[in-house]
Amino acid sequence: MSTNVYQQPFYVPPRTSQPYPRECPSGQIILFRDNNWGSNSLTIDTNSPQYPSERFFSFSGTSMQDQATWLVFNLPENVVCTLCNNVVQNANPADFSNAGVCVDLIGNGQTQTIDLKAYGANDCLSGGIWREVDSDQGWFQLFYDINESGTFATIFLSEWSTAKPISIAKWWLQDQASSLNFPCLTPPQQLTLSDNADGSGQSMTVGASNPFGSWNTQAAVNLTDSGMNDKVSSFTYSLVSPVKTVISSVSVNVAAQIVSGQTFTETISGTNASSEVLTLTDTVAVGKSVQISNTTTQQYETTASISATVTATEGVPDVDSIQTSLTASFSVTQTTSSSQTTSTTNSVDLQQQITFNVPPHSSYSGIATIAIGQVPPTTVTQTGSFYYKQNLPGSIKQSDGTYLLTMPITVTINGEVGSSVQFNITSTPLNLA
């Protein structure tokens, strides 16, 4: 079996002996029956609705079932397609239990080729699945042979839960892995490979070798050096806990356009029997609220809060063109557990006060209309400061002996907000006769 190609920072399967002579359009995978570009072929187009993302597809029953020898593909960065021996329908698109031999096609926006015979996957593929991945949240590769060679699996940590053993007992690579590639573990991630499917038994742990967002330093080990050769049945990734976390709140203004029909009204009426102009303040939308949600992507589970201010406008606004200022803020505090993403939903109180004048000796009646605006998904990025006892890659030693690691934290905000109030009032003189 040929050695895999190191295409920094990933290893990829062996290339074909001849470059692909034509253009492979972005999003396409073309399988060829024989070891030449003129043989029968089958095209899988990930741009087509025939192949939706995160859904296993099959080419069983076609002339290419268990017949592919060469293939060419061109996938965008952060798009991965895994072709497999058996067609499965696992709930998690990254779970390859019972899928048999697998081949990872890791997109880089360029045309790539694979010689399936040299890779040990000749005449055995019958389906697959493609999906978008978040490589910035860390990944690793397990290989069948030592020195990062042979068949392998690329596992992206964003697709799995933290601090929980993930079983690969039904994967083709269970108790078969002999080497590991891990240059893109993200500080402060730690990866543990275990002998048993539940995370128990003999194990080995590795940590990040490069600062966040980089992979200049290669990180690869042979499992024969740690007594874990042909023993890996599960993996667990966890996060080193900081001794202190400092993350500032951040605010962003969002234009929330009114959606037609998303309004509710209240009627305000009464009488001014005095001989003076009466200035009244009334409260509308008591007990009314809408939802603002946010998803925080970072290394630690957070508690995040959203606050919003509602701008009142006078007169009769043009509903289709109203824009208002939504002030959304979030704060982050460390908890004892860890997560890649945290989602929260907060209620925004729409209660508002309206002040108006009523002429003397008159009755009044008015209708207050509150319009609801839809906040589009809005991304805010803030820097988090994490202090550790350990000297993690990219960290800076502080005077108190801790190590400071700064990392970006991304928050996506969306939902609804009450964005305007219009109040039309009419007064009628009282009949004092």
Side-chain angles (χ1 to χ4, degrees), residues 258-303:
I258 301 301
V259 178
S260 179
Q262 286 189 283
T263 61
F264 64 89
T265 61
E266 290 189 16
T267 299
I268 302 172
S269 60
T271 300
N272 178 13
S274 72
S275 59
E276 304 292 334
V277 173
L278 180 64
T279 299
L280 295 177
T281 299
D282 209 331
T283 303
V284 298
V286 176
K288 299 288 187 179
S289 64
V290 290
Q291 303 297 311
I292 295 289
S293 64
N294 69 93
T295 299
T296 306
T297 302
Q298 52 159 348
Q299 293 297 327
Y300 291 97
E301 187 172 330
T302 64
T303 55

mmCIF file of all heavy atoms in Angstrom, residues 258-303:
data_model
loop_
_atom_site.group_PDB
_atom_site.id
_atom_site.type_symbol
_atom_site.label_atom_id
_atom_site.label_comp_id
_atom_site.label_asym_id
_atom_site.label_seq_id
_atom_site.Cartn_x
_atom_site.Cartn_y
_atom_site.Cartn_z
ATOM 1 N N ILE A 258 -39.235 45.800 9.706
ATOM 2 C CA ILE A 258 -40.575 45.337 10.070
ATOM 3 C C ILE A 258 -41.061 44.306 9.062
ATOM 4 O O ILE A 258 -40.919 44.469 7.852
ATOM 5 C CB ILE A 258 -41.567 46.514 10.105
ATOM 6 C CG1 ILE A 258 -41.102 47.562 11.108
ATOM 7 C CG2 ILE A 258 -42.971 46.031 10.437
ATOM 8 C CD1 ILE A 258 -40.975 47.036 12.510
ATOM 9 N N VAL A 259 -41.623 43.239 9.568
ATOM 10 C CA VAL A 259 -42.219 42.214 8.718
ATOM 11 C C VAL A 259 -43.720 42.462 8.651
ATOM 12 O O VAL A 259 -44.381 42.606 9.681
ATOM 13 C CB VAL A 259 -41.933 40.805 9.263
ATOM 14 C CG1 VAL A 259 -42.596 39.745 8.398
ATOM 15 C CG2 VAL A 259 -40.431 40.576 9.335
ATOM 16 N N SER A 260 -44.232 42.540 7.446
ATOM 17 C CA SER A 260 -45.650 42.843 7.263
ATOM 18 C C SER A 260 -46.530 41.856 8.028
ATOM 19 O O SER A 260 -46.329 40.647 7.972
ATOM 20 C CB SER A 260 -46.003 42.797 5.768
ATOM 21 O OG SER A 260 -47.371 43.053 5.572
ATOM 22 N N GLY A 261 -47.479 42.398 8.787
ATOM 23 C CA GLY A 261 -48.407 41.556 9.534
ATOM 24 C C GLY A 261 -47.958 41.233 10.937
ATOM 25 O O GLY A 261 -48.731 40.705 11.735
ATOM 26 N N GLN A 262 -46.706 41.547 11.275
ATOM 27 C CA GLN A 262 -46.221 41.248 12.622
ATOM 28 C C GLN A 262 -46.441 42.458 13.532
ATOM 29 O O GLN A 262 -45.513 43.148 13.928
ATOM 30 C CB GLN A 262 -44.748 40.857 12.592
ATOM 31 C CG GLN A 262 -44.498 39.461 12.048
ATOM 32 C CD GLN A 262 -43.057 39.047 12.256
ATOM 33 O OE1 GLN A 262 -42.174 39.482 11.545
ATOM 34 N NE2 GLN A 262 -42.826 38.190 13.235
ATOM 35 N N THR A 263 -47.686 42.729 13.829
ATOM 36 C CA THR A 263 -48.042 43.844 14.703
ATOM 37 C C THR A 263 -49.157 43.417 15.649
ATOM 38 O O THR A 263 -49.880 42.452 15.391
ATOM 39 C CB THR A 263 -48.539 45.060 13.898
ATOM 40 O OG1 THR A 263 -49.703 44.687 13.156
ATOM 41 C CG2 THR A 263 -47.475 45.584 12.965
ATOM 42 N N PHE A 264 -49.302 44.136 16.768
ATOM 43 C CA PHE A 264 -50.480 43.993 17.608
ATOM 44 C C PHE A 264 -50.861 45.378 18.116
ATOM 45 O O PHE A 264 -50.037 46.299 18.159
ATOM 46 C CB PHE A 264 -50.259 43.000 18.759
ATOM 47 C CG PHE A 264 -49.209 43.407 19.748
ATOM 48 C CD1 PHE A 264 -49.528 44.187 20.847
ATOM 49 C CD2 PHE A 264 -47.890 42.987 19.600
ATOM 50 C CE1 PHE A 264 -48.557 44.548 21.763
ATOM 51 C CE2 PHE A 264 -46.922 43.337 20.517
ATOM 52 C CZ PHE A 264 -47.261 44.139 21.606
ATOM 53 N N THR A 265 -52.122 45.551 18.469
ATOM 54 C CA THR A 265 -52.647 46.871 18.822
ATOM 55 C C THR A 265 -53.300 46.851 20.194
ATOM 56 O O THR A 265 -53.754 45.804 20.677
ATOM 57 C CB THR A 265 -53.678 47.350 17.785
ATOM 58 O OG1 THR A 265 -54.771 46.422 17.753
ATOM 59 C CG2 THR A 265 -53.055 47.462 16.407
ATOM 60 N N GLU A 266 -53.331 48.032 20.825
ATOM 61 C CA GLU A 266 -54.050 48.249 22.066
ATOM 62 C C GLU A 266 -54.792 49.568 21.965
ATOM 63 O O GLU A 266 -54.277 50.540 21.399
ATOM 64 C CB GLU A 266 -53.088 48.285 23.262
ATOM 65 C CG GLU A 266 -52.469 46.949 23.605
ATOM 66 C CD GLU A 266 -51.696 46.997 24.923
ATOM 67 O OE1 GLU A 266 -51.900 47.963 25.685
ATOM 68 O OE2 GLU A 266 -50.915 46.066 25.170
ATOM 69 N N THR A 267 -56.008 49.611 22.523
ATOM 70 C CA THR A 267 -56.818 50.829 22.517
ATOM 71 C C THR A 267 -56.740 51.502 23.882
ATOM 72 O O THR A 267 -56.879 50.847 24.921
ATOM 73 C CB THR A 267 -58.285 50.517 22.189
ATOM 74 O OG1 THR A 267 -58.351 49.921 20.880
ATOM 75 C CG2 THR A 267 -59.129 51.792 22.204
ATOM 76 N N ILE A 268 -56.494 52.822 23.870
ATOM 77 C CA ILE A 268 -56.422 53.617 25.095
ATOM 78 C C ILE A 268 -57.512 54.680 25.017
ATOM 79 O O ILE A 268 -57.605 55.412 24.023
ATOM 80 C CB ILE A 268 -55.040 54.298 25.229
ATOM 81 C CG1 ILE A 268 -53.932 53.244 25.226
ATOM 82 C CG2 ILE A 268 -54.968 55.156 26.477
ATOM 83 C CD1 ILE A 268 -52.547 53.842 25.157
ATOM 84 N N SER A 269 -58.365 54.782 26.026
ATOM 85 C CA SER A 269 -59.466 55.755 25.993
ATOM 86 C C SER A 269 -59.733 56.273 27.399
ATOM 87 O O SER A 269 -59.341 55.671 28.402
ATOM 88 C CB SER A 269 -60.729 55.116 25.415
ATOM 89 O OG SER A 269 -61.137 54.009 26.208
ATOM 90 N N GLY A 270 -60.373 57.423 27.450
ATOM 91 C CA GLY A 270 -60.706 58.016 28.743
ATOM 92 C C GLY A 270 -61.339 59.377 28.558
ATOM 93 O O GLY A 270 -61.697 59.787 27.438
ATOM 94 N N THR A 271 -61.454 60.104 29.683
ATOM 95 C CA THR A 271 -62.116 61.412 29.671
ATOM 96 C C THR A 271 -61.319 62.416 30.492
ATOM 97 O O THR A 271 -60.802 62.093 31.562
ATOM 98 C CB THR A 271 -63.528 61.308 30.268
ATOM 99 O OG1 THR A 271 -64.296 60.377 29.490
ATOM 100 C CG2 THR A 271 -64.224 62.665 30.277
ATOM 101 N N ASN A 272 -61.217 63.668 29.973
ATOM 102 C CA ASN A 272 -60.635 64.785 30.719
ATOM 103 C C ASN A 272 -61.770 65.771 31.025
ATOM 104 O O ASN A 272 -62.178 66.552 30.152
ATOM 105 C CB ASN A 272 -59.532 65.471 29.911
ATOM 106 C CG ASN A 272 -58.934 66.659 30.637
ATOM 107 O OD1 ASN A 272 -59.161 66.846 31.830
ATOM 108 N ND2 ASN A 272 -58.177 67.482 29.907
ATOM 109 N N ALA A 273 -62.279 65.714 32.247
ATOM 110 C CA ALA A 273 -63.414 66.578 32.620
ATOM 111 C C ALA A 273 -62.958 67.927 33.144
ATOM 112 O O ALA A 273 -63.787 68.801 33.442
ATOM 113 C CB ALA A 273 -64.274 65.877 33.670
ATOM 114 N N SER A 274 -61.631 68.130 33.268
ATOM 115 C CA SER A 274 -61.136 69.387 33.828
ATOM 116 C C SER A 274 -61.094 70.473 32.770
ATOM 117 O O SER A 274 -61.291 70.229 31.576
ATOM 118 C CB SER A 274 -59.744 69.173 34.424
ATOM 119 O OG SER A 274 -58.804 68.992 33.377
ATOM 120 N N SER A 275 -60.790 71.695 33.239
ATOM 121 C CA SER A 275 -60.697 72.834 32.323
ATOM 122 C C SER A 275 -59.263 73.051 31.859
ATOM 123 O O SER A 275 -58.981 74.037 31.172
ATOM 124 C CB SER A 275 -61.213 74.099 33.020
ATOM 125 O OG SER A 275 -60.448 74.353 34.198
ATOM 126 N N GLU A 276 -58.331 72.172 32.221
ATOM 127 C CA GLU A 276 -56.934 72.281 31.842
ATOM 128 C C GLU A 276 -56.540 71.160 30.883
ATOM 129 O O GLU A 276 -57.161 70.097 30.852
ATOM 130 C CB GLU A 276 -56.037 72.191 33.089
ATOM 131 C CG GLU A 276 -56.350 73.205 34.168
ATOM 132 C CD GLU A 276 -56.022 74.613 33.738
ATOM 133 O OE1 GLU A 276 -55.129 74.766 32.859
ATOM 134 O OE2 GLU A 276 -56.639 75.559 34.262
ATOM 135 N N VAL A 277 -55.517 71.430 30.114
ATOM 136 C CA VAL A 277 -54.946 70.370 29.266
ATOM 137 C C VAL A 277 -54.356 69.294 30.175
ATOM 138 O O VAL A 277 -53.613 69.596 31.113
ATOM 139 C CB VAL A 277 -53.866 70.933 28.325
ATOM 140 C CG1 VAL A 277 -53.173 69.793 27.575
ATOM 141 C CG2 VAL A 277 -54.477 71.926 27.346
ATOM 142 N N LEU A 278 -54.690 68.057 29.902
ATOM 143 C CA LEU A 278 -54.239 66.941 30.737
ATOM 144 C C LEU A 278 -53.135 66.173 30.020
ATOM 145 O O LEU A 278 -53.320 65.719 28.885
ATOM 146 C CB LEU A 278 -55.412 66.009 31.058
ATOM 147 C CG LEU A 278 -55.107 64.787 31.934
ATOM 148 C CD1 LEU A 278 -54.661 65.231 33.320
ATOM 149 C CD2 LEU A 278 -56.338 63.893 32.016
ATOM 150 N N THR A 279 -51.980 66.086 30.670
ATOM 151 C CA THR A 279 -50.872 65.289 30.113
ATOM 152 C C THR A 279 -50.914 63.906 30.744
ATOM 153 O O THR A 279 -50.817 63.769 31.961
ATOM 154 C CB THR A 279 -49.519 65.951 30.391
ATOM 155 O OG1 THR A 279 -49.496 67.243 29.776
ATOM 156 C CG2 THR A 279 -48.386 65.105 29.821
ATOM 157 N N LEU A 280 -51.061 62.891 29.907
ATOM 158 C CA LEU A 280 -51.199 61.525 30.391
ATOM 159 C C LEU A 280 -50.028 60.661 29.919
ATOM 160 O O LEU A 280 -49.480 60.863 28.832
ATOM 161 C CB LEU A 280 -52.512 60.905 29.896
ATOM 162 C CG LEU A 280 -53.813 61.525 30.413
ATOM 163 C CD1 LEU A 280 -54.997 60.845 29.757
ATOM 164 C CD2 LEU A 280 -53.896 61.387 31.920
ATOM 165 N N THR A 281 -49.667 59.729 30.745
ATOM 166 C CA THR A 281 -48.685 58.707 30.375
ATOM 167 C C THR A 281 -49.323 57.352 30.586
ATOM 168 O O THR A 281 -49.781 57.030 31.689
ATOM 169 C CB THR A 281 -47.405 58.810 31.221
ATOM 170 O OG1 THR A 281 -46.800 60.088 30.994
ATOM 171 C CG2 THR A 281 -46.405 57.723 30.837
ATOM 172 N N ASP A 282 -49.382 56.579 29.530
ATOM 173 C CA ASP A 282 -49.988 55.243 29.627
ATOM 174 C C ASP A 282 -48.958 54.208 29.198
ATOM 175 O O ASP A 282 -48.013 54.498 28.463
ATOM 176 C CB ASP A 282 -51.228 55.153 28.734
ATOM 177 C CG ASP A 282 -52.240 54.159 29.285
ATOM 178 O OD1 ASP A 282 -51.803 53.208 29.959
ATOM 179 O OD2 ASP A 282 -53.443 54.340 29.049
ATOM 180 N N THR A 283 -49.145 53.013 29.686
ATOM 181 C CA THR A 283 -48.218 51.925 29.385
ATOM 182 C C THR A 283 -48.897 50.921 28.473
ATOM 183 O O THR A 283 -50.018 50.472 28.746
ATOM 184 C CB THR A 283 -47.765 51.216 30.677
ATOM 185 O OG1 THR A 283 -47.163 52.182 31.547
ATOM 186 C CG2 THR A 283 -46.754 50.133 30.360
ATOM 187 N N VAL A 284 -48.239 50.582 27.390
ATOM 188 C CA VAL A 284 -48.780 49.599 26.449
ATOM 189 C C VAL A 284 -47.867 48.374 26.441
ATOM 190 O O VAL A 284 -46.734 48.408 26.912
ATOM 191 C CB VAL A 284 -48.901 50.178 25.029
ATOM 192 C CG1 VAL A 284 -49.874 51.347 25.019
ATOM 193 C CG2 VAL A 284 -47.536 50.611 24.501
ATOM 194 N N ALA A 285 -48.402 47.302 25.883
ATOM 195 C CA ALA A 285 -47.664 46.040 25.733
ATOM 196 C C ALA A 285 -47.224 45.469 27.070
ATOM 197 O O ALA A 285 -46.160 44.859 27.184
ATOM 198 C CB ALA A 285 -46.466 46.214 24.809
ATOM 199 N N VAL A 286 -48.039 45.638 28.104
ATOM 200 C CA VAL A 286 -47.707 45.052 29.404
ATOM 201 C C VAL A 286 -47.744 43.528 29.293
ATOM 202 O O VAL A 286 -48.723 42.947 28.826
ATOM 203 C CB VAL A 286 -48.687 45.536 30.489
ATOM 204 C CG1 VAL A 286 -48.388 44.855 31.818
ATOM 205 C CG2 VAL A 286 -48.619 47.047 30.632
ATOM 206 N N GLY A 287 -46.691 42.885 29.715
ATOM 207 C CA GLY A 287 -46.645 41.429 29.670
ATOM 208 C C GLY A 287 -46.325 40.852 28.308
ATOM 209 O O GLY A 287 -46.275 39.632 28.147
ATOM 210 N N LYS A 288 -46.123 41.724 27.313
ATOM 211 C CA LYS A 288 -45.794 41.238 25.974
ATOM 212 C C LYS A 288 -44.268 41.113 25.835
ATOM 213 O O LYS A 288 -43.516 41.978 26.274
ATOM 214 C CB LYS A 288 -46.311 42.203 24.900
ATOM 215 C CG LYS A 288 -47.824 42.390 24.900
ATOM 216 C CD LYS A 288 -48.525 41.153 24.373
ATOM 217 C CE LYS A 288 -50.029 41.420 24.221
ATOM 218 N NZ LYS A 288 -50.743 40.233 23.681
ATOM 219 N N SER A 289 -43.835 40.034 25.202
ATOM 220 C CA SER A 289 -42.402 39.854 25.000
ATOM 221 C C SER A 289 -42.147 39.095 23.712
ATOM 222 O O SER A 289 -43.026 38.419 23.186
ATOM 223 C CB SER A 289 -41.775 39.095 26.179
ATOM 224 O OG SER A 289 -42.300 37.790 26.252
ATOM 225 N N VAL A 290 -40.959 39.263 23.183
ATOM 226 C CA VAL A 290 -40.523 38.496 22.021
ATOM 227 C C VAL A 290 -39.182 37.852 22.372
ATOM 228 O O VAL A 290 -38.613 38.108 23.425
ATOM 229 C CB VAL A 290 -40.378 39.403 20.773
ATOM 230 C CG1 VAL A 290 -41.735 39.857 20.284
ATOM 231 C CG2 VAL A 290 -39.482 40.596 21.072
ATOM 232 N N GLN A 291 -38.692 37.011 21.475
ATOM 233 C CA GLN A 291 -37.512 36.208 21.784
ATOM 234 C C GLN A 291 -36.301 36.671 20.983
ATOM 235 O O GLN A 291 -36.385 36.945 19.794
ATOM 236 C CB GLN A 291 -37.774 34.725 21.481
ATOM 237 C CG GLN A 291 -38.965 34.138 22.215
ATOM 238 C CD GLN A 291 -38.767 34.145 23.710
ATOM 239 O OE1 GLN A 291 -37.737 33.724 24.211
ATOM 240 N NE2 GLN A 291 -39.764 34.621 24.437
ATOM 241 N N ILE A 292 -35.183 36.770 21.664
ATOM 242 C CA ILE A 292 -33.888 36.992 21.021
ATOM 243 C C ILE A 292 -33.001 35.814 21.415
ATOM 244 O O ILE A 292 -32.878 35.498 22.594
ATOM 245 C CB ILE A 292 -33.238 38.304 21.488
ATOM 246 C CG1 ILE A 292 -34.085 39.504 21.042
ATOM 247 C CG2 ILE A 292 -31.826 38.421 20.941
ATOM 248 C CD1 ILE A 292 -34.053 39.763 19.568
ATOM 249 N N SER A 293 -32.430 35.147 20.441
ATOM 250 C CA SER A 293 -31.588 33.997 20.755
ATOM 251 C C SER A 293 -30.156 34.283 20.341
ATOM 252 O O SER A 293 -29.891 35.127 19.485
ATOM 253 C CB SER A 293 -32.084 32.738 20.038
ATOM 254 O OG SER A 293 -31.975 32.891 18.638
ATOM 255 N N ASN A 294 -29.224 33.588 20.985
ATOM 256 C CA ASN A 294 -27.827 33.734 20.607
ATOM 257 C C ASN A 294 -27.113 32.408 20.770
ATOM 258 O O ASN A 294 -27.432 31.620 21.638
ATOM 259 C CB ASN A 294 -27.145 34.827 21.428
ATOM 260 C CG ASN A 294 -26.985 34.439 22.884
ATOM 261 O OD1 ASN A 294 -25.973 33.911 23.297
ATOM 262 N ND2 ASN A 294 -28.014 34.689 23.675
ATOM 263 N N THR A 295 -26.181 32.169 19.882
ATOM 264 C CA THR A 295 -25.348 30.972 19.930
ATOM 265 C C THR A 295 -23.898 31.408 20.071
ATOM 266 O O THR A 295 -23.402 32.183 19.256
ATOM 267 C CB THR A 295 -25.522 30.120 18.666
ATOM 268 O OG1 THR A 295 -26.880 29.701 18.572
ATOM 269 C CG2 THR A 295 -24.610 28.904 18.707
ATOM 270 N N THR A 296 -23.236 30.946 21.120
ATOM 271 C CA THR A 296 -21.858 31.314 21.393
ATOM 272 C C THR A 296 -20.944 30.159 20.995
ATOM 273 O O THR A 296 -21.117 29.042 21.461
ATOM 274 C CB THR A 296 -21.660 31.633 22.889
ATOM 275 O OG1 THR A 296 -22.613 32.616 23.283
ATOM 276 C CG2 THR A 296 -20.270 32.148 23.141
ATOM 277 N N THR A 297 -20.003 30.442 20.098
ATOM 278 C CA THR A 297 -19.048 29.437 19.657
ATOM 279 C C THR A 297 -17.692 29.777 20.258
ATOM 280 O O THR A 297 -17.120 30.815 19.973
ATOM 281 C CB THR A 297 -18.937 29.428 18.133
ATOM 282 O OG1 THR A 297 -20.228 29.184 17.582
ATOM 283 C CG2 THR A 297 -17.979 28.346 17.666
ATOM 284 N N GLN A 298 -17.194 28.903 21.103
ATOM 285 C CA GLN A 298 -15.925 29.144 21.762
ATOM 286 C C GLN A 298 -15.497 27.869 22.463
ATOM 287 O O GLN A 298 -16.070 26.813 22.253
ATOM 288 C CB GLN A 298 -16.065 30.293 22.760
ATOM 289 C CG GLN A 298 -17.227 30.061 23.693
ATOM 290 C CD GLN A 298 -17.107 30.850 24.961
ATOM 291 O OE1 GLN A 298 -16.067 31.397 25.248
ATOM 292 N NE2 GLN A 298 -18.155 30.877 25.711
ATOM 293 N N GLN A 299 -14.519 27.964 23.341
ATOM 294 C CA GLN A 299 -13.995 26.785 23.990
ATOM 295 C C GLN A 299 -14.654 26.464 25.324
ATOM 296 O O GLN A 299 -14.456 25.390 25.854
ATOM 297 C CB GLN A 299 -12.490 26.955 24.210
ATOM 298 C CG GLN A 299 -11.706 26.975 22.914
ATOM 299 C CD GLN A 299 -11.811 25.682 22.146
ATOM 300 O OE1 GLN A 299 -11.907 24.609 22.730
ATOM 301 N NE2 GLN A 299 -11.836 25.750 20.843
ATOM 302 N N TYR A 300 -15.417 27.369 25.878
ATOM 303 C CA TYR A 300 -15.999 27.123 27.191
ATOM 304 C C TYR A 300 -17.486 27.406 27.191
ATOM 305 O O TYR A 300 -17.962 28.334 26.550
ATOM 306 C CB TYR A 300 -15.302 27.985 28.260
ATOM 307 C CG TYR A 300 -13.899 27.542 28.496
ATOM 308 C CD1 TYR A 300 -12.849 28.182 27.873
ATOM 309 C CD2 TYR A 300 -13.622 26.428 29.283
ATOM 310 C CE1 TYR A 300 -11.556 27.747 28.047
ATOM 311 C CE2 TYR A 300 -12.332 25.989 29.457
ATOM 312 C CZ TYR A 300 -11.304 26.647 28.842
ATOM 313 O OH TYR A 300 -10.033 26.207 29.002
ATOM 314 N N GLU A 301 -18.209 26.588 27.942
ATOM 315 C CA GLU A 301 -19.637 26.821 28.082
ATOM 316 C C GLU A 301 -19.849 28.154 28.780
ATOM 317 O O GLU A 301 -19.108 28.533 29.678
ATOM 318 C CB GLU A 301 -20.274 25.701 28.904
ATOM 319 C CG GLU A 301 -21.790 25.787 28.963
ATOM 320 C CD GLU A 301 -22.383 24.558 29.617
ATOM 321 O OE1 GLU A 301 -21.778 23.482 29.496
ATOM 322 O OE2 GLU A 301 -23.429 24.704 30.235
ATOM 323 N N THR A 302 -20.862 28.892 28.352
ATOM 324 C CA THR A 302 -21.042 30.242 28.866
ATOM 325 C C THR A 302 -22.473 30.481 29.314
ATOM 326 O O THR A 302 -23.392 29.747 28.978
ATOM 327 C CB THR A 302 -20.750 31.282 27.769
ATOM 328 O OG1 THR A 302 -21.723 31.111 26.734
ATOM 329 C CG2 THR A 302 -19.380 31.112 27.194
ATOM 330 N N THR A 303 -22.630 31.535 30.080
ATOM 331 C CA THR A 303 -23.961 32.082 30.301
ATOM 332 C C THR A 303 -23.958 33.419 29.581
ATOM 333 O O THR A 303 -23.100 34.272 29.832
ATOM 334 C CB THR A 303 -24.239 32.287 31.801
ATOM 335 O OG1 THR A 303 -23.209 33.115 32.363
ATOM 336 C CG2 THR A 303 -24.245 30.955 32.517
#
